[in-house]
Amino acid sequence: DVVDSFFLHYRLQGITASAESMSGRKTLKRSVGLLIARRHDIAHDGDYNGHGRIKVIREDLIKKRIKDLELLVSCMDQIICNRIR
């Protein structure tokens, strides 16, 4: 995981798994990963499917995944702050 490899420099091994555990959500990392994958599709492929049609965006699902991202970042922030103290 790119995020985890970045935080290894700060001796925070497995920070995303720790943040997921702290959140109490077993699928938090997966949800955020799907959001990042969708962003990648939009940025690099124009968000088209295999038939050349634009993929449907489910607003409710994207809103949920953005909240999941916010939760993951918040938990990571708590971990970092607790390590500094």
Side-chain angles (χ1 to χ4, degrees):
D1 185 89
V2 174
V3 174
D4 284 327
S5 65
F6 173 78
F7 283 97
L8 280 177
H9 300 286
Y10 302 100
R11 297 186 181 119
L12 291 165
Q13 186 172 358
I15 191 168
T16 57
S18 296
E20 180 179 64
S21 178
M22 177 185 280
S23 76
R25 296 270 317 280
K26 293 181 179 181
T27 60
L28 186 62
K29 281 180 58 174
R30 183 179 186 284
S31 177
V32 171
L34 291 170
L35 179 67
I36 293 167
R38 183 66 187 258
R39 180 258 167 222
H40 179 82
D41 287 346
I42 291 168
H44 297 283
D45 300 325
D47 205 29
Y48 289 92
N49 66 20
H51 302 287
R53 295 188 186 104
I54 294 177
K55 295 178 186 176
V56 175
I57 294 176
R58 286 189 41 209
E59 185 177 349
D60 60 325
L61 188 58
I62 297 301
K63 283 182 179 181
K64 177 197 170 300
R65 294 222 166 103
I66 290 172
K67 286 182 182 185
D68 288 348
L69 175 60
E70 291 171 341
L71 177 59
L72 184 69
V73 170
S74 176
C75 290
M76 288 172 61
D77 185 54
Q78 288 180 41
I79 292 166
I80 292 166
C81 288
N82 288 338
R83 183 67 63 93
I84 293 171
R85 291 180 192 165

